[in-house]
């Protein structure tokens, strides 16, 4: 927009030694205001009196391109909210005292509803960019309205304008660089552009895999039962035993269940339990508090194979009776190590026991040394 040469005009002059500083000078070169943008993650700009270096106003936001900014006048303090209200157009609104104002690209208006708005400030910008070169405050229009702090209003209008310029510069500096590429398509020369994306941030280093007791604790945490230890193929016997011993040292832990994940881990369960009791014995814990041991085995039901029936011809086939007295290892083993008696887990005598029979699945109650 063209400016009136007869009105007082301020020119925006970037500081030659500091790119974050902009001076507002008159045509004779006298500086009337100075804006300094402070570095940091958040946006912050300060407006000074260049002669006395006194702070006149500050502008803050999460970023220079934020749609909401806070302007604060100094001496006296007054907070003004500057908010973008345009959906597709450039429109920023703020309220000062009892009046509402609105910046529209190169013009600032005092809003009077339902009366037409009154122009109070104009700027001159190069075509296509929001980069203010000069600004005029129309005092003859402002004099028509009751404004207690005229100087404060002038500072707010100028501070808002300076934040627009910072937002525009940040927007253009963050745009992706483009590079022309020449080529031929169907025998004709064409020019295309390729986007050069900014480098991706470095990936964080991967955590070292856990070992020993920490790995056992990680495996058990995935199972969900705090006092149940599932013995798998992974993990050393000593690490499992130390993990069980640590659980039993907790006063709130009355018992620990050591269970095999499969039939292959049954011998491992026995070794872990014995090693756990050995650790407690060496630490002198078994004398102060003995452990009750309850054994349960062969609790896994045999898996029913699907598909056509197979005929097994070897001596250990399913169709032939098992040899009498031949030992068959259990398909599962569960051992409860308890600090207190657990009668519900203790095997009970029945008629088969009195007749010399055997109750399958339960072991005897054992006490640790």
């Amino acid at each position: 927009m063209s400016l009136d040469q007869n009105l007082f005009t301020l020119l925006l002059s970037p500081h030659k030694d500091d790119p974050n500083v902009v001076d507002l000078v008159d045509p004779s070169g006298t500086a009337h205001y100075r804006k300094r943008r402070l570095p940091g993650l958040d946006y912050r700009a300060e407006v000074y009196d260049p002669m006395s270096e006194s702070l006149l106003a500050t502008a803050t936001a999460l970023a220079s391109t934020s749609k909401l900014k806070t302007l604060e006048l100094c001496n006296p303090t007054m907070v003004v909210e500057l908010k973008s209200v345009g959906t597709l157009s450039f429109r920023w609104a703020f309220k000062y005292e009892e009046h509402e104002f609105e910046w529209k690209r190169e013009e600032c208006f005092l809003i009077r509803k339902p009366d037409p708005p009154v122009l109070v400030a104009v700027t001159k910008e190069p075509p296509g960019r929001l980069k203010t070169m000069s600004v005029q405050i129309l005092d003859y229009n402002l004099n028509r309205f009751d404004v207690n702090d005229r100087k404060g209003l002038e500072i707010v209008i100028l501070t808002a304008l300076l934040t627009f310029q910072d937002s525009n510069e940040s927007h253009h500096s963050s745009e992706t660089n483009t590079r022309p590429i020449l080529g031929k398509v169907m025998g004709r020369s064409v020019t295309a552009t390729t986007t050069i994306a900014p480098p991706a941030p470095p990936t964080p280093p991967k955590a070292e895999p856990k070992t020993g007791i920490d790995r056992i604790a990680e495996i058990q945490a995935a199972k969900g039962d705090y006092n149940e230890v599932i013995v798998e193929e992974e993990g050393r016997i000593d690490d499992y035993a130390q993990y069980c011993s640590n659980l039993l040292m907790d006063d709130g832990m009355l018992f620990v269940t050591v269970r095999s994940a499969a039939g292959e881990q049954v011998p491992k369960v026995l070794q872990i339990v014995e090693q756990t009791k050995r650790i407690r014995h060496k630490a002198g814990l078994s004398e102060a508090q003995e452990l009750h041991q309850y054994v349960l085995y062969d609790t896994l039901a045999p898996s029913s194979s699907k598909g056509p029936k197979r005929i097994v011809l070897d001596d250990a086939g399913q169709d032939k009776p098992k040899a009498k007295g031949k030992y068959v290892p259990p398909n599962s083993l569960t051992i409860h190590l308890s600090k207190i008696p657990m009668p519900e887990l203790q095997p009970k005598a029945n008629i088969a026991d009195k007749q010399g029979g055997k109750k399958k699945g339960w072991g005897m109650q054992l006490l640790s040394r």
Side-chain angles (χ1 to χ4, degrees), residues 24 32 223 230 320:
L24 277 69
H32 293 261
K223 305 297 183 182
I230 307 298
K320 293 184 179 182

Side-chain angles (χ1 to χ4, degrees), residues 34 73 93 173 222 247 275 279 292 309 361:
R34 173 169 293 172
L73 290 173
S173 63
L247 290 179
Q275 182 65 15
I279 293 174
H292 301 269
K309 183 178 180 180

